[in-house]
Amino acid sequence: MEHTHFEQEINITESLMNRINELIGHYPDDKRKSALLPVLHEVQDAHDNWLSIELQDKVAEILHIKPIEVYEVVSFYTMYNRRPIGKFMFEFCQTSPCCLNGVENLMEYTCNKLGVKVGEPTPDGLFEVRGVECLGACGYAPMMQLGDFYQEHLTEAKIDQLVADCKDGKVILHDK
């Protein structure tokens, strides 16, 4: 597997550090590591939705843990990105209920529509398609996550509309 190193500017602002300290404050002093997941979310959100090795090292430094402890978490969970990604990440659930309801065909349709392969951002950086494990909405299959929101009972027409809405700036990715 080819590994590419992507450069990223690290910008831990005062407001971000205040938020990190607030999250750390939810745990006893000797359990700072317990704040790792929420801290990674905040740091990733503040850095174009991805975490470089250097940024992961900075999180380890802030939490007083070893860098490998951060790497293990970031490489395990699909919600953390280790490279620049498309602004609109279409994360299709690939577990049984969605597969039985045609999600694989919808992923292929979406990739063909965008001119990319799974896991490859579009040249303009707007879109990316990813397969993920269960998103816990089996009754709404086939479905995907786009930002913080689920898109349910998907069809090709709904994919077409989502792509158009994303291009037109009509899609809200986060509820913050």
Side-chain angles (χ1 to χ4, degrees), residues 11-175:
N11 187 19
I12 306 293
T13 63
E14 183 179 344
S15 63
L16 177 57
M17 197 62 220
N18 288 340
R19 177 67 178 136
I20 291 169
N21 285 328
E22 177 187 334
L23 293 167
I24 292 169
H26 294 183
Y27 305 95
D29 287 340
D30 62 337
K31 303 290 185 205
R32 290 173 69 95
K33 182 180 176 181
S34 298
L36 180 57
L37 272 67
V39 167
L40 284 170
H41 280 296
E42 291 293 328
V43 171
Q44 179 171 268
D45 287 348
H47 288 85
D48 295 323
N49 206 26
W50 72 285
L51 300 160
S52 64
I53 293 292
E54 294 79 13
L55 191 51
Q56 293 175 58
D57 290 345
K58 185 67 176 172
V59 169
E61 177 187 318
I62 290 168
L63 292 176
H64 307 144
I65 60 178
K66 296 176 184 167
I68 189 66
E69 294 176 277
V70 178
Y71 306 158
E72 289 170 337
V73 169
V74 170
S75 65
F76 180 77
Y77 291 106
T78 59
M79 61 193 160
Y80 301 117
N81 303 301
R82 297 179 286 165
R83 62 168 175 77
I85 63 164
K87 177 181 178 180
F88 298 103
M89 174 70 75
F90 288 14
E91 297 181 286
F92 287 91
C93 177
Q94 288 189 292
T95 48
S96 298
C98 285
C99 287
L100 289 170
N101 284 286
V103 80
E104 294 161 315
N105 293 335
L106 288 171
M107 286 178 70
E108 182 178 350
Y109 175 82
T110 306
C111 286
N112 289 338
K113 181 173 187 63
L114 299 173
V116 295
K117 297 177 183 172
V118 171
E120 176 183 279
T122 56
D124 61 6
L126 269 184
F127 296 97
E128 188 165 332
V129 175
R130 180 184 288 174
V132 297
E133 291 303 315
C134 186
L135 292 170
C138 302
Y140 309 108
M143 58 87 60
M144 71 170 181
Q145 185 168 340
L146 177 57
D148 292 340
F149 303 99
Y150 283 175
Q151 306 296 324
E152 302 159 342
H153 302 293
L154 293 173
T155 62
E156 289 179 3
K158 284 185 179 182
I159 297 292
D160 292 343
Q161 189 62 56
L162 278 171
V163 170
D165 288 348
C166 289
K167 287 180 178 179
D168 291 342
K170 296 178 181 177
V171 172
I172 296 170
L173 293 175
H174 303 291
D175 61 359

